[in-house]
Every structure is written in structure tokens, then in C-alpha cells.
Amino acid sequence: MVKSIFIALMVSCFALVSAPSMARPQVIHSATGHAASYSNKGHAPRHAPKIKQTTPTKAVTGVKRDANGKILRSQTAKNKFKKSHPCPSTGKSSDACPGYVIDHVQALKHGGADNLSNMQWQTKEAAKAKDKVE
């Protein structure tokens, strides 16, 4: 009797372990290409891959430019930005902002919008460094 219960229990355990619906998910690490499975407790792999934000590397065609080839910017959008985001160095909502420039988070030449949601104050030094990369 005990032996038959033990065998029935072993068979049911084996069926649970080998069932495809109970298999642990497998993740392929994007950087190394190695498989990493989740633990029994549901934790992610110890070295989870980092997500990289990508931006276009080519200039977007169709961007409006002036006679000198510079991308046209909306003065209205700049003024709205200054009103809603006062200058960090003076606190004023108009006029010049010494040591700072209005920067586009995503460059206009890469398809960034010329509106408030894509603008930020940036120091002149940081702007020069960013311009070297863009």
C-alpha cells in the first residue's frame, strides 16, 4: 500500500517537473549571446542587459534651412521656452541668459521638434561638447 502511494506520488512529481508549461523561461543576454534562465524564485538574471537609447545618426532630409544652410528655428518657440523656464543664472524670463544656451534634447537635424518639450537650458561648455558629438 505504502509502496503504491509512493510510486503514484513519484509519477505525478515527474509529470509536473517535465511538463512544458512548467518550464522556466530562458533569456538570451543581448551583449554576450549566452542563455540565462530565471531562478525558481522568479528573480531576473544577476547581470541584466542594459537598454540603450538610440538616436538617428544621419541628418533628416526636408529640414528647413536659411540661405547659409543653418536650420531655421522658431523664435516664438524660444520665447515660450524662456517664459516657462526662466534663465538659470539670472532668473529672468526674457533677455539674454549669460553662460547658457537653449539646447534641443534631440537635435533638429536628427528630427527633433522645435518646441518646448524638446528644449532645455545647457551651459555653453556642455553645448560645445555635445556639438562635437552631434
Side-chain angles (χ1 to χ4, degrees):
M1 169 98 177
V2 174
K3 189 175 183 180
S4 62
I5 293 174
F6 178 74
I7 292 172
L9 184 60
M10 292 299 290
V11 169
S12 63
C13 286
F14 179 75
L16 284 175
V17 171
S18 63
S21 63
M22 298 299 290
R24 288 186 254 166
Q26 193 172 43
V27 176
I28 303 299
H29 193 282
S30 61
T32 63
H34 295 108
S37 62
Y38 289 102
S39 68
N40 288 335
K41 295 180 182 178
H43 296 286
R46 191 167 28 157
H47 300 288
K50 293 182 180 178
I51 298 171
K52 294 181 182 178
Q53 182 179 2
T54 59
T55 56
T57 54
K58 293 174 107 180
V60 176
T61 58
V63 177
K64 294 181 182 179
R65 297 180 181 269
D66 65 10
N68 297 324
K70 285 189 152 190
I71 295 175
L72 293 174
R73 294 184 63 182
S74 169
Q75 191 61 41
T76 306
K78 284 175 72 173
N79 291 338
K80 284 182 181 178
F81 176 80
K82 285 181 181 181
K83 277 194 169 201
S84 62
H85 300 83
C87 171
S89 61
T90 65
K92 294 183 179 179
S93 295
S94 60
D95 300 325
C97 186
Y100 288 86
V101 294
I102 297 174
D103 173 62
H104 288 87
V105 177
Q106 182 176 5
L108 297 175
K109 68 181 179 182
H110 292 301
D114 196 16
N115 60 33
L116 299 178
S117 65
N118 191 38
M119 293 181 184
Q120 66 182 356
W121 284 112
Q122 190 175 48
T123 63
K124 289 185 178 180
E125 295 81 25
K128 287 179 184 176
K130 184 179 175 186
D131 288 345
K132 285 181 183 178
V133 178
E134 290 182 333

